[in-house]
Amino acid sequence: MRVTNNMITGNTKNNINSNKVFVDKYNTQMTTQKKISRPSDDPVVAIRSLRMQTTLSHINQYLDNNIADVNSWLQVTDTALGNMTSILTDLRTQCVNGSTDTLTQDDRNIILKQLRAMADQVYSEGNADYAGRTVFTGYRTSSQLTFKTDEKDTVYNIDQTFSYEDLKDHRYYFGETEIPADADSTCNAQIGTNTYSRIRLAYDGTDSLDNFSYTAGGTTTTMGTVSASDVADGIDPAGKIVVYDNEEQWYEMTKNGEDAKTLGDNDVIFIKDTGELVMGKDMAHSLSKSKAEINVSYTKTGFDAGEARPEYYYDCKMQTPDMDAPVTYTKENQQINYTVSNGITIPANTQASEVLDTSIGRDVAEMIDIVTASISAHEKIAKIETMMSRDQYADAESQAKLQTYLDSAKKEADYADDNLKKTYKQYISNFDDYLEKVSLAQSNVGSMQKRLELTENRMKNQQTTVEELKSNNEDRDISDVIIDYYASYNAYTASLTAAAKVGKQTLLDYL
């Protein structure tokens, strides 16, 4: 094979260029410390690098965003639940204080003051938020749990379901002692009490009872309503619920000697002001025996600031004066889940209905009313005794007449004290139940935090592992690059030296 000078020159150029390519390659690697600068340099390394980069970006998303977000959310929730526990514990303490037999008027005033101070805090922790998102309101994180201001014209149609176990005995008191202006008359007030089973709605101050039905043994029975005034006009209330505006109206319309606030054994009444369905003995027994489910629909207009909004607890419709049509809310499980690892999700939120029962507010309101009634009764005794000590009423006749007022006031005070003691004692178990729900929710949050911590540690370890694998796949040690660079540079220099010698000799040198 004949080798020409042009062939030698061409091969020399190719060899020089090849060596120069290696010099450039290792020079780039020395600068970037990466094995490749473009996918075509090594497709296998490039594919592995893309896969690892995708995996690493997912891990970073979990660690830097999802896990951090859930952790902060759970911390806010845990703090709020801790505050709820403190508030409910304080309320339970007042129940214990009020259930004793040795209360003085100062003790009652202290209990009243404490209850009024805590009444506004009952649902306030339900408005706890994280980064502007309320943590107890399900998907509606931009809304608060309670009404921010008084909304006197807002109307809600609320559907509420009860179990037969929600039927509770309640004492109803009637009669009141008036403070006499003088000693010209004898007190004839009738003071007494009756105990009936009741269902207490989530709200008082209702407008109307729209539906009452109960399901037992697969059969649903619906009861209609009739107003107390219609009954007074002679309409037969049999099989219907008699609707009273308030307890005073019930008392006035059922006065019958000592049996005031009476109720037939099979009767049901609804008191709009207190939001109560009161059952006769046989009616309550029938519902309990058949383990009935009770469905109640009612309308309420006007809510006070701090009251829990019904949409977080019940199916309801809401309309304000500026709305053309009502908004319908359906109670559902609105769990907010975060993906914190591949295939692993953690629920971040706790819903208000799981921890803050609407009965808490009703219990506190009743506790305030009961201790207020006791304070008022004892104040009447003090005022009547003060009148009896005055000289103008020192005669026997005046003393005898004032004594009838005093006896009536003492009877009223005895009933009020008895109701205070028994109701507060009963409500100790109520607040134990409320505390148990909050404690359970707090334990659940704690377990989620522990689970999140374990996941975070695993993701950090995985992040380190993937970063090492990615580095091993992409990066080159600088010492290895330097060795390869100088080797290729020496080869390049040598090829230039050889090329210089080849170019000095031609065929003419031998002719």
PDB file of all heavy atoms in Angstrom, residues 170-194:
ATOM      1  N   HIS A 170     -84.800  16.865  82.401  1.00  0.00           N
ATOM      2  CA  HIS A 170     -84.523  18.264  82.724  1.00  0.00           C
ATOM      3  C   HIS A 170     -85.617  18.778  83.656  1.00  0.00           C
ATOM      4  O   HIS A 170     -86.800  18.485  83.470  1.00  0.00           O
ATOM      5  CB  HIS A 170     -84.485  19.113  81.448  1.00  0.00           C
ATOM      6  CG  HIS A 170     -84.146  20.550  81.695  1.00  0.00           C
ATOM      7  ND1 HIS A 170     -82.905  20.969  82.101  1.00  0.00           N
ATOM      8  CD2 HIS A 170     -84.904  21.674  81.593  1.00  0.00           C
ATOM      9  CE1 HIS A 170     -82.891  22.281  82.236  1.00  0.00           C
ATOM     10  NE2 HIS A 170     -84.102  22.736  81.934  1.00  0.00           N
ATOM     11  N   ARG A 171     -85.211  19.549  84.650  1.00  0.00           N
ATOM     12  CA  ARG A 171     -86.155  20.111  85.609  1.00  0.00           C
ATOM     13  C   ARG A 171     -86.663  21.459  85.110  1.00  0.00           C
ATOM     14  O   ARG A 171     -85.871  22.331  84.745  1.00  0.00           O
ATOM     15  CB  ARG A 171     -85.486  20.278  86.986  1.00  0.00           C
ATOM     16  CG  ARG A 171     -85.234  18.976  87.711  1.00  0.00           C
ATOM     17  CD  ARG A 171     -84.388  19.182  88.961  1.00  0.00           C
ATOM     18  NE  ARG A 171     -83.056  19.670  88.616  1.00  0.00           N
ATOM     19  CZ  ARG A 171     -82.064  18.874  88.210  1.00  0.00           C
ATOM     20  NH1 ARG A 171     -82.255  17.575  88.102  1.00  0.00           N
ATOM     21  NH2 ARG A 171     -80.891  19.371  87.900  1.00  0.00           N
ATOM     22  N   TYR A 172     -87.988  21.615  85.134  1.00  0.00           N
ATOM     23  CA  TYR A 172     -88.616  22.868  84.732  1.00  0.00           C
ATOM     24  C   TYR A 172     -89.281  23.495  85.952  1.00  0.00           C
ATOM     25  O   TYR A 172     -90.124  22.871  86.604  1.00  0.00           O
ATOM     26  CB  TYR A 172     -89.641  22.627  83.616  1.00  0.00           C
ATOM     27  CG  TYR A 172     -88.997  22.258  82.306  1.00  0.00           C
ATOM     28  CD1 TYR A 172     -88.797  20.923  81.966  1.00  0.00           C
ATOM     29  CD2 TYR A 172     -88.567  23.246  81.425  1.00  0.00           C
ATOM     30  CE1 TYR A 172     -88.195  20.574  80.767  1.00  0.00           C
ATOM     31  CE2 TYR A 172     -87.960  22.905  80.223  1.00  0.00           C
ATOM     32  CZ  TYR A 172     -87.770  21.575  79.906  1.00  0.00           C
ATOM     33  OH  TYR A 172     -87.167  21.243  78.717  1.00  0.00           O
ATOM     34  N   TYR A 173     -88.879  24.728  86.253  1.00  0.00           N
ATOM     35  CA  TYR A 173     -89.375  25.423  87.439  1.00  0.00           C
ATOM     36  C   TYR A 173     -90.432  26.438  87.021  1.00  0.00           C
ATOM     37  O   TYR A 173     -90.370  27.014  85.933  1.00  0.00           O
ATOM     38  CB  TYR A 173     -88.224  26.123  88.158  1.00  0.00           C
ATOM     39  CG  TYR A 173     -87.268  25.143  88.791  1.00  0.00           C
ATOM     40  CD1 TYR A 173     -86.267  24.525  88.042  1.00  0.00           C
ATOM     41  CD2 TYR A 173     -87.401  24.805  90.127  1.00  0.00           C
ATOM     42  CE1 TYR A 173     -85.410  23.606  88.615  1.00  0.00           C
ATOM     43  CE2 TYR A 173     -86.541  23.888  90.715  1.00  0.00           C
ATOM     44  CZ  TYR A 173     -85.547  23.288  89.953  1.00  0.00           C
ATOM     45  OH  TYR A 173     -84.708  22.364  90.520  1.00  0.00           O
ATOM     46  N   PHE A 174     -91.391  26.629  87.889  1.00  0.00           N
ATOM     47  CA  PHE A 174     -92.425  27.615  87.603  1.00  0.00           C
ATOM     48  C   PHE A 174     -92.687  28.442  88.848  1.00  0.00           C
ATOM     49  O   PHE A 174     -92.437  28.012  89.980  1.00  0.00           O
ATOM     50  CB  PHE A 174     -93.704  26.943  87.100  1.00  0.00           C
ATOM     51  CG  PHE A 174     -94.286  25.935  88.049  1.00  0.00           C
ATOM     52  CD1 PHE A 174     -95.152  26.340  89.061  1.00  0.00           C
ATOM     53  CD2 PHE A 174     -93.972  24.585  87.940  1.00  0.00           C
ATOM     54  CE1 PHE A 174     -95.691  25.418  89.937  1.00  0.00           C
ATOM     55  CE2 PHE A 174     -94.513  23.661  88.806  1.00  0.00           C
ATOM     56  CZ  PHE A 174     -95.376  24.073  89.819  1.00  0.00           C
ATOM     57  N   GLY A 175     -93.211  29.618  88.601  1.00  0.00           N
ATOM     58  CA  GLY A 175     -93.519  30.519  89.707  1.00  0.00           C
ATOM     59  C   GLY A 175     -92.345  31.391  90.069  1.00  0.00           C
ATOM     60  O   GLY A 175     -91.181  31.013  89.911  1.00  0.00           O
ATOM     61  N   GLU A 176     -92.654  32.582  90.559  1.00  0.00           N
ATOM     62  CA  GLU A 176     -91.609  33.542  90.928  1.00  0.00           C
ATOM     63  C   GLU A 176     -92.130  34.448  92.019  1.00  0.00           C
ATOM     64  O   GLU A 176     -93.288  34.886  91.991  1.00  0.00           O
ATOM     65  CB  GLU A 176     -91.192  34.365  89.714  1.00  0.00           C
ATOM     66  CG  GLU A 176     -90.052  35.315  89.981  1.00  0.00           C
ATOM     67  CD  GLU A 176     -89.649  36.077  88.727  1.00  0.00           C
ATOM     68  OE1 GLU A 176     -90.268  35.860  87.669  1.00  0.00           O
ATOM     69  OE2 GLU A 176     -88.726  36.904  88.825  1.00  0.00           O
ATOM     70  N   THR A 177     -91.295  34.708  92.981  1.00  0.00           N
ATOM     71  CA  THR A 177     -91.655  35.592  94.091  1.00  0.00           C
ATOM     72  C   THR A 177     -91.384  37.039  93.695  1.00  0.00           C
ATOM     73  O   THR A 177     -90.283  37.362  93.236  1.00  0.00           O
ATOM     74  CB  THR A 177     -90.845  35.251  95.348  1.00  0.00           C
ATOM     75  OG1 THR A 177     -91.059  33.884  95.692  1.00  0.00           O
ATOM     76  CG2 THR A 177     -91.254  36.141  96.504  1.00  0.00           C
ATOM     77  N   GLU A 178     -92.379  37.872  93.867  1.00  0.00           N
ATOM     78  CA  GLU A 178     -92.218  39.294  93.583  1.00  0.00           C
ATOM     79  C   GLU A 178     -91.776  40.015  94.859  1.00  0.00           C
ATOM     80  O   GLU A 178     -92.207  39.667  95.966  1.00  0.00           O
ATOM     81  CB  GLU A 178     -93.529  39.890  93.081  1.00  0.00           C
ATOM     82  CG  GLU A 178     -94.058  39.276  91.792  1.00  0.00           C
ATOM     83  CD  GLU A 178     -93.208  39.638  90.593  1.00  0.00           C
ATOM     84  OE1 GLU A 178     -92.472  40.645  90.682  1.00  0.00           O
ATOM     85  OE2 GLU A 178     -93.285  38.917  89.574  1.00  0.00           O
ATOM     86  N   ILE A 179     -90.944  41.006  94.722  1.00  0.00           N
ATOM     87  CA  ILE A 179     -90.548  41.827  95.865  1.00  0.00           C
ATOM     88  C   ILE A 179     -91.696  42.795  96.175  1.00  0.00           C
ATOM     89  O   ILE A 179     -92.086  43.589  95.305  1.00  0.00           O
ATOM     90  CB  ILE A 179     -89.262  42.609  95.574  1.00  0.00           C
ATOM     91  CG1 ILE A 179     -88.112  41.647  95.232  1.00  0.00           C
ATOM     92  CG2 ILE A 179     -88.887  43.497  96.766  1.00  0.00           C
ATOM     93  CD1 ILE A 179     -87.721  40.743  96.351  1.00  0.00           C
ATOM     94  N   PRO A 180     -92.278  42.739  97.356  1.00  0.00           N
ATOM     95  CA  PRO A 180     -93.430  43.618  97.646  1.00  0.00           C
ATOM     96  C   PRO A 180     -93.014  45.083  97.758  1.00  0.00           C
ATOM     97  O   PRO A 180     -91.941  45.403  98.273  1.00  0.00           O
ATOM     98  CB  PRO A 180     -93.934  43.086  98.989  1.00  0.00           C
ATOM     99  CG  PRO A 180     -92.729  42.486  99.633  1.00  0.00           C
ATOM    100  CD  PRO A 180     -91.910  41.912  98.500  1.00  0.00           C
ATOM    101  N   ALA A 181     -93.885  45.939  97.254  1.00  0.00           N
ATOM    102  CA  ALA A 181     -93.623  47.377  97.388  1.00  0.00           C
ATOM    103  C   ALA A 181     -93.942  47.847  98.800  1.00  0.00           C
ATOM    104  O   ALA A 181     -93.376  48.822  99.293  1.00  0.00           O
ATOM    105  CB  ALA A 181     -94.446  48.151  96.370  1.00  0.00           C
ATOM    106  N   ASP A 182     -94.875  47.147  99.445  1.00  0.00           N
ATOM    107  CA  ASP A 182     -95.244  47.451 100.837  1.00  0.00           C
ATOM    108  C   ASP A 182     -95.804  46.185 101.460  1.00  0.00           C
ATOM    109  O   ASP A 182     -95.683  45.114 100.879  1.00  0.00           O
ATOM    110  CB  ASP A 182     -96.261  48.609 100.895  1.00  0.00           C
ATOM    111  CG  ASP A 182     -97.430  48.365  99.925  1.00  0.00           C
ATOM    112  OD1 ASP A 182     -97.936  47.202  99.891  1.00  0.00           O
ATOM    113  OD2 ASP A 182     -97.829  49.302  99.222  1.00  0.00           O
ATOM    114  N   ALA A 183     -96.404  46.291 102.607  1.00  0.00           N
ATOM    115  CA  ALA A 183     -96.935  45.116 103.311  1.00  0.00           C
ATOM    116  C   ALA A 183     -98.457  45.079 103.266  1.00  0.00           C
ATOM    117  O   ALA A 183     -99.107  44.610 104.196  1.00  0.00           O
ATOM    118  CB  ALA A 183     -96.445  45.107 104.755  1.00  0.00           C
ATOM    119  N   ASP A 184     -99.023  45.546 102.172  1.00  0.00           N
ATOM    120  CA  ASP A 184    -100.484  45.607 102.083  1.00  0.00           C
ATOM    121  C   ASP A 184    -101.108  44.314 101.591  1.00  0.00           C
ATOM    122  O   ASP A 184    -102.318  44.131 101.689  1.00  0.00           O
ATOM    123  CB  ASP A 184    -100.905  46.750 101.136  1.00  0.00           C
ATOM    124  CG  ASP A 184    -100.631  48.112 101.760  1.00  0.00           C
ATOM    125  OD1 ASP A 184    -100.464  48.158 102.990  1.00  0.00           O
ATOM    126  OD2 ASP A 184    -100.554  49.109 101.011  1.00  0.00           O
ATOM    127  N   SER A 185    -100.304  43.423 101.000  1.00  0.00           N
ATOM    128  CA  SER A 185    -100.885  42.199 100.434  1.00  0.00           C
ATOM    129  C   SER A 185    -100.095  40.984 100.885  1.00  0.00           C
ATOM    130  O   SER A 185     -98.949  41.086 101.324  1.00  0.00           O
ATOM    131  CB  SER A 185    -100.903  42.271  98.908  1.00  0.00           C
ATOM    132  OG  SER A 185     -99.585  42.398  98.407  1.00  0.00           O
ATOM    133  N   THR A 186    -100.752  39.823 100.737  1.00  0.00           N
ATOM    134  CA  THR A 186    -100.126  38.550 101.080  1.00  0.00           C
ATOM    135  C   THR A 186     -99.628  37.874  99.814  1.00  0.00           C
ATOM    136  O   THR A 186    -100.315  37.888  98.775  1.00  0.00           O
ATOM    137  CB  THR A 186    -101.130  37.631 101.788  1.00  0.00           C
ATOM    138  OG1 THR A 186    -101.598  38.283 102.975  1.00  0.00           O
ATOM    139  CG2 THR A 186    -100.490  36.289 102.153  1.00  0.00           C
ATOM    140  N   CYS A 187     -98.438  37.301  99.864  1.00  0.00           N
ATOM    141  CA  CYS A 187     -97.867  36.625  98.682  1.00  0.00           C
ATOM    142  C   CYS A 187     -98.640  35.342  98.403  1.00  0.00           C
ATOM    143  O   CYS A 187     -98.860  34.518  99.293  1.00  0.00           O
ATOM    144  CB  CYS A 187     -96.404  36.308  98.930  1.00  0.00           C
ATOM    145  SG  CYS A 187     -95.628  35.428  97.561  1.00  0.00           S
ATOM    146  N   ASN A 188     -99.048  35.178  97.157  1.00  0.00           N
ATOM    147  CA  ASN A 188     -99.756  33.958  96.766  1.00  0.00           C
ATOM    148  C   ASN A 188     -99.081  33.277  95.575  1.00  0.00           C
ATOM    149  O   ASN A 188     -99.720  32.549  94.812  1.00  0.00           O
ATOM    150  CB  ASN A 188    -101.217  34.266  96.437  1.00  0.00           C
ATOM    151  CG  ASN A 188    -101.342  35.315  95.328  1.00  0.00           C
ATOM    152  OD1 ASN A 188    -100.334  35.753  94.774  1.00  0.00           O
ATOM    153  ND2 ASN A 188    -102.567  35.723  95.036  1.00  0.00           N
ATOM    154  N   ALA A 189     -97.786  33.557  95.402  1.00  0.00           N
ATOM    155  CA  ALA A 189     -97.047  32.931  94.295  1.00  0.00           C
ATOM    156  C   ALA A 189     -96.951  31.434  94.509  1.00  0.00           C
ATOM    157  O   ALA A 189     -96.765  30.958  95.637  1.00  0.00           O
ATOM    158  CB  ALA A 189     -95.649  33.539  94.196  1.00  0.00           C
ATOM    159  N   GLN A 190     -97.107  30.697  93.428  1.00  0.00           N
ATOM    160  CA  GLN A 190     -96.971  29.246  93.479  1.00  0.00           C
ATOM    161  C   GLN A 190     -95.625  28.862  92.876  1.00  0.00           C
ATOM    162  O   GLN A 190     -95.364  29.121  91.704  1.00  0.00           O
ATOM    163  CB  GLN A 190     -98.114  28.567  92.713  1.00  0.00           C
ATOM    164  CG  GLN A 190     -99.480  28.809  93.330  1.00  0.00           C
ATOM    165  CD  GLN A 190    -100.573  28.088  92.580  1.00  0.00           C
ATOM    166  OE1 GLN A 190    -100.312  27.325  91.660  1.00  0.00           O
ATOM    167  NE2 GLN A 190    -101.815  28.339  92.975  1.00  0.00           N
ATOM    168  N   ILE A 191     -94.793  28.255  93.680  1.00  0.00           N
ATOM    169  CA  ILE A 191     -93.449  27.848  93.260  1.00  0.00           C
ATOM    170  C   ILE A 191     -93.422  26.332  93.172  1.00  0.00           C
ATOM    171  O   ILE A 191     -93.886  25.634  94.076  1.00  0.00           O
ATOM    172  CB  ILE A 191     -92.378  28.318  94.265  1.00  0.00           C
ATOM    173  CG1 ILE A 191     -92.563  29.808  94.604  1.00  0.00           C
ATOM    174  CG2 ILE A 191     -90.985  28.045  93.720  1.00  0.00           C
ATOM    175  CD1 ILE A 191     -92.333  30.728  93.460  1.00  0.00           C
ATOM    176  N   GLY A 192     -92.909  25.800  92.072  1.00  0.00           N
ATOM    177  CA  GLY A 192     -92.856  24.344  91.947  1.00  0.00           C
ATOM    178  C   GLY A 192     -91.938  23.908  90.826  1.00  0.00           C
ATOM    179  O   GLY A 192     -91.295  24.720  90.157  1.00  0.00           O
ATOM    180  N   THR A 193     -91.880  22.624  90.619  1.00  0.00           N
ATOM    181  CA  THR A 193     -91.008  22.067  89.585  1.00  0.00           C
ATOM    182  C   THR A 193     -91.592  20.768  89.057  1.00  0.00           C
ATOM    183  O   THR A 193     -92.264  20.036  89.776  1.00  0.00           O
ATOM    184  CB  THR A 193     -89.590  21.812  90.136  1.00  0.00           C
ATOM    185  OG1 THR A 193     -88.789  21.233  89.118  1.00  0.00           O
ATOM    186  CG2 THR A 193     -89.616  20.849  91.311  1.00  0.00           C
ATOM    187  N   ASN A 194     -91.327  20.516  87.773  1.00  0.00           N
ATOM    188  CA  ASN A 194     -91.650  19.238  87.142  1.00  0.00           C
ATOM    189  C   ASN A 194     -90.438  18.787  86.342  1.00  0.00           C
ATOM    190  O   ASN A 194     -89.675  19.621  85.838  1.00  0.00           O
ATOM    191  CB  ASN A 194     -92.865  19.359  86.205  1.00  0.00           C
ATOM    192  CG  ASN A 194     -94.167  19.475  86.977  1.00  0.00           C
ATOM    193  OD1 ASN A 194     -94.381  18.784  87.959  1.00  0.00           O
ATOM    194  ND2 ASN A 194     -95.025  20.384  86.526  1.00  0.00           N
TER     195      ASN A 194
END
